[in-house]
Amino acid sequence: MALDLEKIKEKLLEKREQILKSLANANNTDLNEKSGVEDAADTVTSEISRETLYRLSQSERETLALIDLALRKIENGTYGICEECGAVIGEKRLEAIPWVRLCIDCSQNEEIVKSFAMKSEEESIYNIIPPTLTEEEENKYMQE
Ligand SMILES: [Zn+2]
């Protein structure tokens, strides 16, 4: 198997940047701080501010979390391995969705795994409501 990890990494970072940029365009007022857009190419897991995260949709947050997870896997050498059964995920599948976590067989249970994943501590990092929110902010967040 000859996965081009550099290329995959590039794709992941590109998608990451794309999500953050679409957000920046919609909210071009406070882009000047560390949204992570500029650092994305240099820093694998550049920190995304909580404020930024609140403006993302749930699915964007999930995708970002999956992208960062995939990038971490590339770093520690576990990229491309199905989380469910440990099988090697097909190259074409990874090319189509570089942040995919499961092989084709296991993806049939993806919904179940996904709902489980959002509860797991490590991968829910982008879904945590920080304790510092005011009540007003919290209400606003909950409505979105
Ligand atoms: Zn599998």
mmCIF file of all heavy atoms in Angstrom, residues 28-55:
data_model
loop_
_atom_site.group_PDB
_atom_site.id
_atom_site.type_symbol
_atom_site.label_atom_id
_atom_site.label_comp_id
_atom_site.label_asym_id
_atom_site.label_seq_id
_atom_site.Cartn_x
_atom_site.Cartn_y
_atom_site.Cartn_z
ATOM 1 N N ASN A 28 -16.772 38.802 8.477
ATOM 2 C CA ASN A 28 -15.476 39.412 8.214
ATOM 3 C C ASN A 28 -15.099 40.521 9.186
ATOM 4 O O ASN A 28 -14.115 41.201 9.004
ATOM 5 C CB ASN A 28 -15.388 39.916 6.765
ATOM 6 C CG ASN A 28 -16.581 40.781 6.411
ATOM 7 O OD1 ASN A 28 -17.337 41.191 7.295
ATOM 8 N ND2 ASN A 28 -16.748 41.070 5.131
ATOM 9 N N THR A 29 -15.879 40.717 10.211
ATOM 10 C CA THR A 29 -15.582 41.778 11.158
ATOM 11 C C THR A 29 -14.415 41.429 12.079
ATOM 12 O O THR A 29 -13.527 42.238 12.279
ATOM 13 C CB THR A 29 -16.816 42.114 12.016
ATOM 14 O OG1 THR A 29 -17.409 40.897 12.421
ATOM 15 C CG2 THR A 29 -17.801 42.945 11.239
ATOM 16 N N ASP A 30 -14.428 40.229 12.623
ATOM 17 C CA ASP A 30 -13.379 39.904 13.588
ATOM 18 C C ASP A 30 -12.489 38.760 13.107
ATOM 19 O O ASP A 30 -12.167 37.846 13.820
ATOM 20 C CB ASP A 30 -13.956 39.572 14.952
ATOM 21 C CG ASP A 30 -15.089 38.582 14.840
ATOM 22 O OD1 ASP A 30 -15.302 38.062 13.744
ATOM 23 O OD2 ASP A 30 -15.747 38.332 15.853
ATOM 24 N N LEU A 31 -12.106 38.875 11.883
ATOM 25 C CA LEU A 31 -11.210 37.886 11.293
ATOM 26 C C LEU A 31 -9.767 38.118 11.716
ATOM 27 O O LEU A 31 -8.931 37.235 11.645
ATOM 28 C CB LEU A 31 -11.330 37.968 9.766
ATOM 29 C CG LEU A 31 -10.352 37.204 8.883
ATOM 30 C CD1 LEU A 31 -10.436 35.714 9.125
ATOM 31 C CD2 LEU A 31 -10.630 37.517 7.426
ATOM 32 N N ASN A 32 -9.511 39.342 12.172
ATOM 33 C CA ASN A 32 -8.133 39.727 12.459
ATOM 34 C C ASN A 32 -7.455 38.917 13.558
ATOM 35 O O ASN A 32 -6.252 38.858 13.616
ATOM 36 C CB ASN A 32 -8.051 41.217 12.806
ATOM 37 C CG ASN A 32 -9.150 41.630 13.771
ATOM 38 O OD1 ASN A 32 -10.049 40.836 14.065
ATOM 39 N ND2 ASN A 32 -9.083 42.849 14.280
ATOM 40 N N GLU A 33 -8.217 38.270 14.418
ATOM 41 C CA GLU A 33 -7.545 37.473 15.449
ATOM 42 C C GLU A 33 -7.281 36.053 14.964
ATOM 43 O O GLU A 33 -7.522 35.718 13.824
ATOM 44 C CB GLU A 33 -8.346 37.488 16.744
ATOM 45 C CG GLU A 33 -9.790 37.120 16.534
ATOM 46 C CD GLU A 33 -10.376 36.383 17.719
ATOM 47 O OE1 GLU A 33 -9.719 36.285 18.753
ATOM 48 O OE2 GLU A 33 -11.478 35.885 17.588
ATOM 49 N N LYS A 34 -6.819 35.244 15.872
ATOM 50 C CA LYS A 34 -6.301 33.922 15.522
ATOM 51 C C LYS A 34 -7.373 32.925 15.121
ATOM 52 O O LYS A 34 -7.651 32.009 15.856
ATOM 53 C CB LYS A 34 -5.483 33.401 16.693
ATOM 54 C CG LYS A 34 -6.244 33.088 18.009
ATOM 55 C CD LYS A 34 -6.850 34.275 18.704
ATOM 56 C CE LYS A 34 -7.865 33.811 19.738
ATOM 57 N NZ LYS A 34 -8.458 34.830 20.524
ATOM 58 N N SER A 35 -7.947 33.118 13.957
ATOM 59 C CA SER A 35 -8.955 32.177 13.514
ATOM 60 C C SER A 35 -8.322 30.867 13.078
ATOM 61 O O SER A 35 -8.988 29.876 12.868
ATOM 62 C CB SER A 35 -9.749 32.766 12.349
ATOM 63 O OG SER A 35 -8.920 32.922 11.230
ATOM 64 N N GLY A 36 -7.015 30.866 12.928
ATOM 65 C CA GLY A 36 -6.341 29.631 12.541
ATOM 66 C C GLY A 36 -6.187 29.491 11.038
ATOM 67 O O GLY A 36 -5.523 28.584 10.556
ATOM 68 N N VAL A 37 -6.801 30.402 10.290
ATOM 69 C CA VAL A 37 -6.759 30.284 8.844
ATOM 70 C C VAL A 37 -5.332 30.374 8.305
ATOM 71 O O VAL A 37 -4.896 29.541 7.532
ATOM 72 C CB VAL A 37 -7.633 31.369 8.182
ATOM 73 C CG1 VAL A 37 -7.450 31.359 6.666
ATOM 74 C CG2 VAL A 37 -9.094 31.147 8.522
ATOM 75 N N GLU A 38 -4.612 31.371 8.772
ATOM 76 C CA GLU A 38 -3.266 31.564 8.245
ATOM 77 C C GLU A 38 -2.297 30.488 8.710
ATOM 78 O O GLU A 38 -1.353 30.147 8.015
ATOM 79 C CB GLU A 38 -2.721 32.930 8.671
ATOM 80 C CG GLU A 38 -3.384 34.082 7.945
ATOM 81 C CD GLU A 38 -4.055 35.029 8.924
ATOM 82 O OE1 GLU A 38 -3.561 35.131 10.044
ATOM 83 O OE2 GLU A 38 -5.063 35.638 8.558
ATOM 84 N N ASP A 39 -2.546 29.975 9.885
ATOM 85 C CA ASP A 39 -1.615 29.005 10.436
ATOM 86 C C ASP A 39 -1.883 27.585 9.975
ATOM 87 O O ASP A 39 -1.091 26.694 10.194
ATOM 88 C CB ASP A 39 -1.691 29.019 11.971
ATOM 89 C CG ASP A 39 -1.309 30.379 12.519
ATOM 90 O OD1 ASP A 39 -0.551 31.057 11.826
ATOM 91 O OD2 ASP A 39 -1.759 30.733 13.597
ATOM 92 N N ALA A 40 -3.007 27.400 9.330
ATOM 93 C CA ALA A 40 -3.437 26.034 9.026
ATOM 94 C C ALA A 40 -2.377 25.238 8.279
ATOM 95 O O ALA A 40 -2.200 24.049 8.522
ATOM 96 C CB ALA A 40 -4.724 26.060 8.227
ATOM 97 N N ALA A 41 -1.679 25.875 7.371
ATOM 98 C CA ALA A 41 -0.701 25.141 6.571
ATOM 99 C C ALA A 41 0.529 24.774 7.390
ATOM 100 O O ALA A 41 1.172 23.765 7.134
ATOM 101 C CB ALA A 41 -0.305 25.975 5.362
ATOM 102 N N ASP A 42 0.858 25.601 8.370
ATOM 103 C CA ASP A 42 2.076 25.367 9.141
ATOM 104 C C ASP A 42 1.839 24.471 10.356
ATOM 105 O O ASP A 42 2.612 23.592 10.649
ATOM 106 C CB ASP A 42 2.653 26.699 9.634
ATOM 107 C CG ASP A 42 2.956 27.621 8.474
ATOM 108 O OD1 ASP A 42 3.410 27.097 7.445
ATOM 109 O OD2 ASP A 42 2.737 28.826 8.604
ATOM 110 N N THR A 43 0.757 24.728 11.029
ATOM 111 C CA THR A 43 0.492 24.014 12.269
ATOM 112 C C THR A 43 -0.615 23.010 12.048
ATOM 113 O O THR A 43 -1.698 23.356 11.611
ATOM 114 C CB THR A 43 0.060 25.005 13.360
ATOM 115 O OG1 THR A 43 0.875 26.167 13.267
ATOM 116 C CG2 THR A 43 0.204 24.373 14.728
ATOM 117 N N VAL A 44 -0.310 21.788 12.355
ATOM 118 C CA VAL A 44 -1.290 20.742 12.114
ATOM 119 C C VAL A 44 -2.541 20.946 12.958
ATOM 120 O O VAL A 44 -3.648 20.905 12.469
ATOM 121 C CB VAL A 44 -0.679 19.361 12.404
ATOM 122 C CG1 VAL A 44 -1.761 18.302 12.448
ATOM 123 C CG2 VAL A 44 0.331 19.020 11.324
ATOM 124 N N THR A 45 -2.341 21.197 14.212
ATOM 125 C CA THR A 45 -3.505 21.368 15.063
ATOM 126 C C THR A 45 -3.527 22.768 15.666
ATOM 127 O O THR A 45 -3.521 22.941 16.869
ATOM 128 C CB THR A 45 -3.537 20.324 16.200
ATOM 129 O OG1 THR A 45 -2.237 20.299 16.795
ATOM 130 C CG2 THR A 45 -3.878 18.957 15.672
ATOM 131 N N SER A 46 -3.496 23.760 14.805
ATOM 132 C CA SER A 46 -3.584 25.128 15.293
ATOM 133 C C SER A 46 -4.914 25.308 15.997
ATOM 134 O O SER A 46 -5.934 24.794 15.572
ATOM 135 C CB SER A 46 -3.457 26.118 14.139
ATOM 136 O OG SER A 46 -4.476 25.902 13.201
ATOM 137 N N GLU A 47 -4.880 26.020 17.051
ATOM 138 C CA GLU A 47 -6.060 26.109 17.890
ATOM 139 C C GLU A 47 -7.126 27.007 17.275
ATOM 140 O O GLU A 47 -6.835 28.070 16.743
ATOM 141 C CB GLU A 47 -5.680 26.634 19.266
ATOM 142 C CG GLU A 47 -6.691 26.200 20.307
ATOM 143 C CD GLU A 47 -6.294 26.663 21.685
ATOM 144 O OE1 GLU A 47 -5.086 26.614 21.992
ATOM 145 O OE2 GLU A 47 -7.189 27.076 22.431
ATOM 146 N N ILE A 48 -8.326 26.543 17.357
ATOM 147 C CA ILE A 48 -9.455 27.319 16.862
ATOM 148 C C ILE A 48 -10.153 27.912 18.072
ATOM 149 O O ILE A 48 -10.441 27.210 19.033
ATOM 150 C CB ILE A 48 -10.419 26.415 16.079
ATOM 151 C CG1 ILE A 48 -9.678 25.772 14.914
ATOM 152 C CG2 ILE A 48 -11.613 27.194 15.591
ATOM 153 C CD1 ILE A 48 -10.422 24.628 14.288
ATOM 154 N N SER A 49 -10.394 29.202 18.009
ATOM 155 C CA SER A 49 -10.982 29.839 19.179
ATOM 156 C C SER A 49 -12.413 29.354 19.384
ATOM 157 O O SER A 49 -13.099 28.954 18.450
ATOM 158 C CB SER A 49 -10.959 31.357 19.019
ATOM 159 O OG SER A 49 -11.937 31.748 18.086
ATOM 160 N N ARG A 50 -12.839 29.382 20.615
ATOM 161 C CA ARG A 50 -14.189 28.920 20.934
ATOM 162 C C ARG A 50 -15.236 29.759 20.222
ATOM 163 O O ARG A 50 -16.244 29.255 19.768
ATOM 164 C CB ARG A 50 -14.409 28.993 22.442
ATOM 165 C CG ARG A 50 -13.761 27.826 23.146
ATOM 166 C CD ARG A 50 -13.790 28.023 24.614
ATOM 167 N NE ARG A 50 -13.312 26.820 25.284
ATOM 168 C CZ ARG A 50 -12.974 26.765 26.563
ATOM 169 N NH1 ARG A 50 -13.051 27.843 27.293
ATOM 170 N NH2 ARG A 50 -12.567 25.653 27.098
ATOM 171 N N GLU A 51 -14.952 31.029 20.138
ATOM 172 C CA GLU A 51 -15.883 31.928 19.442
ATOM 173 C C GLU A 51 -16.113 31.471 18.022
ATOM 174 O O GLU A 51 -17.227 31.434 17.529
ATOM 175 C CB GLU A 51 -15.282 33.330 19.411
ATOM 176 C CG GLU A 51 -15.694 34.189 20.578
ATOM 177 C CD GLU A 51 -15.915 35.603 20.097
ATOM 178 O OE1 GLU A 51 -14.910 36.274 19.886
ATOM 179 O OE2 GLU A 51 -17.067 35.986 19.919
ATOM 180 N N THR A 52 -14.999 31.153 17.367
ATOM 181 C CA THR A 52 -15.082 30.677 15.995
ATOM 182 C C THR A 52 -15.939 29.430 15.923
ATOM 183 O O THR A 52 -16.798 29.287 15.053
ATOM 184 C CB THR A 52 -13.677 30.371 15.460
ATOM 185 O OG1 THR A 52 -12.902 31.562 15.537
ATOM 186 C CG2 THR A 52 -13.726 29.911 14.015
ATOM 187 N N LEU A 53 -15.716 28.540 16.856
ATOM 188 C CA LEU A 53 -16.441 27.272 16.843
ATOM 189 C C LEU A 53 -17.945 27.477 16.988
ATOM 190 O O LEU A 53 -18.730 26.763 16.395
ATOM 191 C CB LEU A 53 -15.921 26.369 17.956
ATOM 192 C CG LEU A 53 -14.523 25.793 17.701
ATOM 193 C CD1 LEU A 53 -14.019 25.082 18.937
ATOM 194 C CD2 LEU A 53 -14.524 24.867 16.508
ATOM 195 N N TYR A 54 -18.324 28.473 17.761
ATOM 196 C CA TYR A 54 -19.755 28.700 17.961
ATOM 197 C C TYR A 54 -20.454 29.129 16.681
ATOM 198 O O TYR A 54 -21.644 28.948 16.520
ATOM 199 C CB TYR A 54 -19.987 29.770 19.032
ATOM 200 C CG TYR A 54 -19.656 29.272 20.395
ATOM 201 C CD1 TYR A 54 -19.058 30.075 21.324
ATOM 202 C CD2 TYR A 54 -19.947 27.949 20.738
ATOM 203 C CE1 TYR A 54 -18.731 29.611 22.581
ATOM 204 C CE2 TYR A 54 -19.620 27.472 21.977
ATOM 205 C CZ TYR A 54 -19.015 28.300 22.898
ATOM 206 O OH TYR A 54 -18.695 27.832 24.119
ATOM 207 N N ARG A 55 -19.691 29.720 15.796
ATOM 208 C CA ARG A 55 -20.303 30.201 14.561
ATOM 209 C C ARG A 55 -20.396 29.104 13.509
ATOM 210 O O ARG A 55 -21.036 29.274 12.487
ATOM 211 C CB ARG A 55 -19.500 31.372 14.009
ATOM 212 C CG ARG A 55 -19.462 32.553 14.954
ATOM 213 C CD ARG A 55 -19.210 33.829 14.206
ATOM 214 N NE ARG A 55 -18.996 34.934 15.134
ATOM 215 C CZ ARG A 55 -17.798 35.290 15.564
ATOM 216 N NH1 ARG A 55 -16.731 34.652 15.137
ATOM 217 N NH2 ARG A 55 -17.667 36.296 16.387
#
